[in-house]
Amino acid sequence: MTKKQSKLIRLTISYLIILIMAAIVLYPLLWVLGSSFNPGNSLNSSKIFPDNPTLKHYQLLFDLESSNYLLWYWNSMKISLMTMIFSVILVSFTAYSFSRYRFVGRKNGLMTFLILQMIPNFAALIAIFVLATRLQLIDTHLGLILFYVGGQIPMSTWLMKGYLDTIPKDLDESARMDGAGHFRIFIQIIMPLAKPIISVVALFAFIAPLGDFIIARILLRSNEQYTLAVGLYDLVAKQFGNSFTTFAAGAVLVSVPIALLFLVFQKYFVSGLTAGGTKG
């Protein structure tokens, strides 16, 4: 076998693996999208896209007399945006502190964060419920935001700390020689170079509340306070007798802000990596 033939075989295998993985990822997405246009109520169909597509499920979601979908959408967007903002701020300060400073309890703090990120949310449901009850955070969006932000800190701190460790400390020392303080170094030097990881943390923090059902279901009680996950479940299970095509339509609309946010942050990935490469 010649070197050219061996290279061709490896290239062919690589493309086959990529195509298989793409099919695994795209098929469920296309199936849900096609189901949202299915005129019936069942997801069972031999075709990805129905022969007679309809928009009635989307119209049903936007009918204010039939559902509170728009209100649930607003609730989820508000909670996700607030979670994203507070998570980025807190994680940035925390990761910078662990990356740049040496203090008593630093190693124990990092180890605690590592252990906390291994514990799934549902394992702490009782503790979360008791804490929310004592703090009078049941059926409030503030309670959800606080718990979501707290849940983002351990893993995101480790991610951002690892990235900040790659930024040369010579930049900090040069800035201090020019008279810059700690906060100015953090804001004007470190954070601009950390745009890629900030974008990742922001995206994760935004997506987490949209995909959560368990904690929101436990803390929220009134229909007006529901998030999309809880509201769609309630809409399908109670009002329309397992109309899963309506659920599919609602799920498709949930993905829109996530896709838009990813497209917006994509340019920051590129610009942040370029800035880090030229200034590092």
Side-chain angles (χ1 to χ4, degrees):
M1 183 181 295
T2 64
K3 185 176 181 181
K4 185 176 181 180
Q5 290 176 333
S6 177
K7 184 178 180 180
L8 181 61
I9 292 175
R10 290 197 301 268
L11 187 63
T12 302
I13 294 175
S14 299
Y15 277 115
L16 284 175
I17 295 175
I18 293 173
L19 288 175
I20 293 173
M21 296 304 297
I24 294 174
V25 173
L26 292 177
Y27 179 77
L29 299 178
L30 294 176
W31 185 59
V32 172
L33 179 62
S35 298
S36 68
F37 295 102
N38 193 328
N41 293 328
S42 175
L43 296 180
N44 294 326
S45 177
S46 59
K47 298 181 180 179
I48 295 180
F49 289 98
D51 295 328
N52 300 311
T54 179
L55 293 174
K56 71 174 185 178
H57 304 300
Y58 292 94
Q59 294 172 354
L60 184 64
L61 291 175
F62 286 96
D63 186 0
L64 298 179
E65 296 181 358
S66 302
S67 70
N68 289 326
Y69 183 79
L70 292 179
L71 179 60
W72 302 334
Y73 209 100
W74 162 248
N75 292 340
S76 291
M77 291 301 104
K78 177 179 66 175
I79 293 172
S80 293
L81 285 173
M82 296 302 294
T83 301
M84 180 181 68
I85 294 172
F86 287 118
S87 294
V88 169
I89 294 174
L90 294 177
V91 168
S92 297
F93 281 106
T94 306
Y96 179 75
S97 300
F98 279 116
S99 175
R100 286 303 194 261
Y101 301 117
R102 299 296 181 268
F103 49 88
V104 177
R106 177 179 176 272
K107 291 184 178 180
N108 292 333
L110 287 173
M111 185 60 62
T112 301
F113 280 178
L114 182 63
I115 295 174
L116 287 175
Q117 74 181 24
M118 296 179 182
I119 302 175
N121 289 334
F122 65 83
L125 288 181
I126 298 177
I128 291 175
F129 179 78
V130 172
L131 184 61
T133 302
R134 292 185 176 182
L135 295 177
Q136 297 182 355
L137 295 176
I138 295 295
D139 201 27
T140 64
H141 292 161
L142 176 61
L144 277 179
I145 293 172
L146 291 176
F147 286 117
Y148 288 144
V149 171
Q152 289 294 315
I153 290 177
M155 182 187 71
S156 299
T157 296
W158 268 94
L159 287 175
M160 185 172 289
K161 177 194 173 297
Y163 188 91
L164 296 183
D165 287 342
T166 64
I167 299 177
K169 294 184 179 180
D170 295 341
L171 297 174
D172 304 40
E173 297 174 358
S174 299
R176 289 193 184 94
M177 292 178 63
D178 293 336
H182 295 286
F183 187 75
R184 186 176 180 183
I185 294 173
F186 172 74
I187 294 297
Q188 296 186 356
I189 297 178
I190 302 300
M191 287 298 99
L193 296 178
K195 285 181 180 179
I197 194 62
I198 291 175
S199 301
V200 172
V201 170
L203 191 62
F204 285 172
F206 183 85
I207 293 175
L210 290 177
D212 176 70
F213 172 79
I214 299 177
I215 296 180
R217 183 64 176 175
I218 289 177
L219 297 185
L220 300 180
R221 294 290 184 267
S222 59
N223 189 278
E224 293 76 15
Q225 295 289 91
Y226 282 172
T227 59
L228 278 172
V230 181
L232 283 176
Y233 173 80
D234 186 74
L235 184 72
V236 172
K238 294 182 179 180
Q239 296 185 27
F240 296 100
N242 297 329
S243 180
F244 291 105
T245 46
T246 304
F247 186 93
V252 170
L253 294 177
V254 173
S255 64
V256 173
I258 299 176
L260 292 176
L261 191 66
F262 179 81
L263 292 176
V264 170
F265 281 165
Q266 191 176 23
K267 63 181 181 181
Y268 291 104
F269 294 157
V270 177
S271 63
L273 288 171
T274 304
T278 54
K279 297 180 182 180

